Amino acid sequence: MEVSKVWEPIQIGPMMLPNRVLMGSMHVGFEKLEDGVERLAAFYAERASGEVGLIVTGGAAVCREGGMGDAYCNVYLDEHVEPLRLITAAVHEAGGKIALQLFHAGRYAHQEATGVESVAPSALQAPINRHKPREMNPAEIERTIQDFADGASRAIRAGFDAVEIMGSEGYLINQFLSPVTNKREDDWGGDFARRARFGIEVAKRVITAVGPDFPVIFRMSGLDLMPDSTTMEETLQFARMLEQAGVSALNVGIGWHESKVPTIAMMVPRGAYVWVAQQIKEAVRIPVIASNRINDLRQAEAIIAEGRSDMVSMARPFLADSQIVRKSRAGQFDEVNTCIACNQACLDHIFDGKVASCMVNPVVGREKEWALEPAMVSKRVAVVGAGPAGLEAARVLAERGHQVVIFEKQNQIGGQLNYARQVPGKEEFNETLRYYKTQLNQMGVQVRLEMAATADSLIEEGFEEVVVATGVNPRRPDIPGVDLPHVVSYDRVFEKKAKVGRRVAIVGAGGIACDLSHLLVQDQPISPQSAQYLLEYRILDAKAMHQLSHSGRKVFMLRRGKHVGTGLGKTTRWAVLANLKRHGVEMVTQIDYKEITAEGVIIRNQEQEQLVQADTVIIAAGATPNDSLFHALQGRLPVHVIGGAKEAGELDAKRAIYEGALVGRAI
């Protein structure tokens, strides 16, 4: 597909942008580190070098109580200006433009991090916060409005090209607008006009503070995804009010952090919320920016060409590939390391209080120390195993100038990524495999499929170093009856080497078991086109369609421990488990296994025995490192072990790719 509309320049207030791609705001947490500002500067400069139209920073707190902690990016004191200049200088030197996001968390702020009590329109505790906020009085509201304006003034002094007011995702301005969180009956709450007043006053005050020659973008909530919250009619009215107030553009956000609807996880279809931006675009004349699950410039082109928005916001895709815009402009779409919306190293890290990175691109946050250096001596290196660890090791080694050969005993590369990509809603893993195939081919890596390397063969062939990335062996638990013919290992199911019956008991309830359950209950998916046809002509209703998309299997997940889905990230685990429950998967925990019989699995639960009837029993109870080659090579050749072969656990592509990147730089 020819991409052209997305490359057209666009006017955002007084600012002209070279294209219509915005790098959306992300909290990356580098500020916590000793050289955090320098890391942020390097991070943003790298993205600016990739030709993105405009970068928006992570939220900068406009007051202490509105931030996320002392080490957070702040703009509420004059002393915050100088460090921020490092960021703008680096971005401008790389040829880019950058906006500072003006941020107040409201009831989402954690007082243990800020050191002060959190505040909100009403004293209502957020389910994702341990502390109840204090209701703001009118004087505090007025002061907070001025805090936004003062933050904008400091942004100009720090050299930013624009500001974005954060009024989405359930933060303070959104809390004022929504009847869910604003129960006030004074001038700042009650009917819609009074609930909207705070956000409008912030916009007006910021615009006055910065003057007519400085762009002000407003990140508004297009859809709260909260029961009984702001209606679409009110949202469109709010958009028109913001336009009248003088904002330069509207960036449309989706959902609150506490919402029970996934909005940016892999299971969310690409561009699922563009329709919201389209409705807002039809209500105003200023530029409107669409966001959420847009990860391909060809997709962005279609959105803009069809008139559904004026720009697109892509955030995490710039973690996965800092050069996504430049590569796409050159037509190099297969060379893009596509964001797969796994959330494992970005959002999961941030919500765990860690620094953000990226599962498919662990260079994120390490731009300074991980700059790729050519190998001093080109060596002949064997990489054994073409799972995620081996693929990344081979890619980096080849890029540095080594002569690399991959040995893979299966008939395709990917290792256990080939399991994940079969699971409904996880098709994005195909993009990761496409990226590695392209990279290996371009760099001349020789890939030998259906070939199991041995220590003797590697030595005979004259390899100078070996990377062992042979993955794991599924663990076989010591349960009577485990060798019966209807008992199979999870890998055989994923590889379609085992027939699975109508009643299934899975021994194990970690991430692999969750993926397997999802696959088994939805292994007769109906195409979106067929679904639309059947619904449109009322051949089936929504309930019947749901039943049709279900395989009809009854699946039980069994676990000795208390928790299901351990190993899944906290930002996606809840959605995965809710989805499995909707499909009738039963999760039986805190049990002991007594025996597997022809009828199923006999378990002991609180001293009572129970038969879980099953015609197929699948073992998904962990794994052990497949490290025999590593031990066979020790003392004979320089050898490195990475990924599951080094440490078995849940399928951990994040650690595997990280270790591959690390060893690729070490040889």
Side-chain angles (χ1 to χ4, degrees), residues 34 256 346 581 604:
E34 192 176 335
W256 290 16
C346 51
K581 285 173 184 173
R604 189 179 291 107

Side-chain angles (χ1 to χ4, degrees), residues 298-378:
R298 291 164 292 191
Q299 175 195 8
E301 168 69 15
I303 291 165
I304 295 167
E306 292 163 9
R308 303 176 73 191
S309 74
D310 301 288
M311 291 184 70
V312 296
S313 171
M314 303 166 78
R316 294 168 304 159
F318 283 95
L319 296 180
D321 196 327
S322 65
Q323 304 297 305
I324 180 173
V325 175
R326 181 188 59 75
K327 290 178 182 177
S328 299
R329 186 165 192 158
Q332 299 165 337
F333 298 108
D334 280 350
E335 294 181 38
V336 172
N337 195 1
T338 303
C339 168
I340 61 173
C342 67
N343 296 344
Q344 290 182 29
C346 51
L347 286 176
D348 286 348
H349 277 206
I350 291 299
F351 280 94
D352 274 337
K354 301 174 186 173
V355 171
S357 188
C358 176
M359 186 188 89
V360 300
N361 179 23
V363 176
V364 171
R366 304 177 176 96
E367 282 84 359
K368 287 172 67 180
E369 63 267 43
W370 271 26
L372 215 57
E373 300 287 341
M376 294 182 70
V377 178
S378 177

Side-chain angles (χ1 to χ4, degrees), residues 532-650:
Q532 184 179 352
Y533 162 75
L534 293 169
L535 289 169
E536 211 167 87
Y537 284 92
R538 299 182 181 177
I539 299 166
L540 295 176
D541 60 14
K543 184 178 179 182
M545 182 59 66
H546 178 76
Q547 290 173 340
L548 187 64
S549 68
H550 193 287
S551 67
R553 283 196 181 93
K554 181 63 185 175
V555 176
F556 298 86
M557 286 200 294
L558 312 176
R559 175 156 244 179
R560 285 192 173 100
K562 185 177 181 181
H563 300 292
V564 172
T566 50
L568 296 175
K570 65 162 55 177
T571 61
T572 51
R573 178 176 175 269
W574 63 272
V576 169
L577 297 186
N579 202 16
L580 290 174
K581 285 173 184 173
R582 273 198 304 275
H583 284 89
V585 174
E586 286 193 37
M587 303 165 192
V588 186
T589 59
Q590 295 180 285
I591 55 120
D592 285 318
Y593 300 102
K594 185 182 179 188
E595 185 183 3
I596 299 173
T597 69
E599 289 75 38
V601 183
I602 299 173
I603 61 172
R604 189 179 291 107
N605 193 348
Q606 295 177 340
E607 303 307 317
Q608 292 185 334
E609 284 190 7
Q610 172 190 346
L611 172 66
V612 177
Q613 287 187 323
D615 43 33
T616 305
V617 178
I618 302 174
I619 306 298
T624 57
N626 180 13
D627 57 1
S628 58
L629 179 62
F630 171 68
H631 292 299
L633 281 167
Q634 279 185 307
R636 302 176 72 187
L637 265 185
V639 60
H640 314 262
V641 61
I642 57 174
K646 179 181 179 182
E647 179 187 341
E650 286 291 340

Side-chain angles (χ1 to χ4, degrees), residues 431-458:
E431 298 289 354
T432 305
L433 287 174
R434 179 264 311 149
Y435 167 74
Y436 277 119
K437 284 175 185 174
T438 303
Q439 291 289 305
L440 299 184
N441 184 51
Q442 281 191 341
M443 292 176 189
V445 174
Q446 188 184 135
V447 181
R448 300 184 190 174
L449 298 176
E450 298 183 278
M451 188 171 290
T454 65
D456 289 343
S457 67
L458 293 170

Side-chain angles (χ1 to χ4, degrees), residues 63-226:
C63 56
R64 185 174 179 183
E65 65 272 19
M68 305 295 276
D70 285 339
Y72 202 70
C73 189
N74 299 309
V75 70
Y76 60 82
L77 296 174
D78 287 342
E79 66 195 52
H80 296 145
V81 171
E82 200 59 41
L84 292 171
R85 281 198 186 117
L86 292 173
I87 294 170
T88 56
V91 168
H92 293 153
E93 190 177 337
K97 287 185 167 70
I98 186 164
L100 183 74
Q101 188 183 79
L102 304 172
F103 175 86
H104 192 306
R107 71 181 195 153
Y108 284 170
H110 292 285
Q111 64 185 51
E112 60 265 38
T114 64
V116 291
E117 194 174 14
S118 57
V119 298
S122 301
L124 299 170
Q125 186 173 344
I128 59 173
N129 199 334
R130 285 187 290 175
H131 298 283
K132 186 178 179 179
R134 178 173 51 77
E135 182 174 303
M136 299 169 75
N137 62 45
E140 286 175 310
I141 292 172
E142 173 59 36
R143 193 192 74 231
T144 303
I145 293 169
Q146 189 57 43
D147 287 338
F148 275 93
D150 292 343
S153 298
R154 292 187 184 99
I156 293 178
R157 285 162 50 198
F160 286 93
D161 302 287
V163 291
E164 179 179 84
I165 299 167
M166 173 43 113
S168 183
E169 268 74 20
Y171 292 118
L172 183 69
I173 292 174
N174 212 169
Q175 291 163 25
F176 266 97
L177 185 64
S178 172
V180 172
T181 43
N182 187 344
K183 303 296 184 183
R184 305 174 74 96
E185 295 180 359
D186 61 0
D187 292 342
W188 301 99
D191 59 23
F192 170 73
R194 286 181 289 167
R195 284 186 278 112
R197 184 183 171 200
F198 180 76
I200 299 302
E201 289 300 319
V202 167
K204 286 179 177 176
R205 194 77 61 87
V206 167
I207 290 164
T208 300
V210 299
D213 299 325
F214 195 78
V216 176
I217 302 167
F218 196 99
R219 171 82 168 179
M220 66 173 289
S221 179
L223 202 62
D224 292 346
L225 297 176
M226 294 287 292

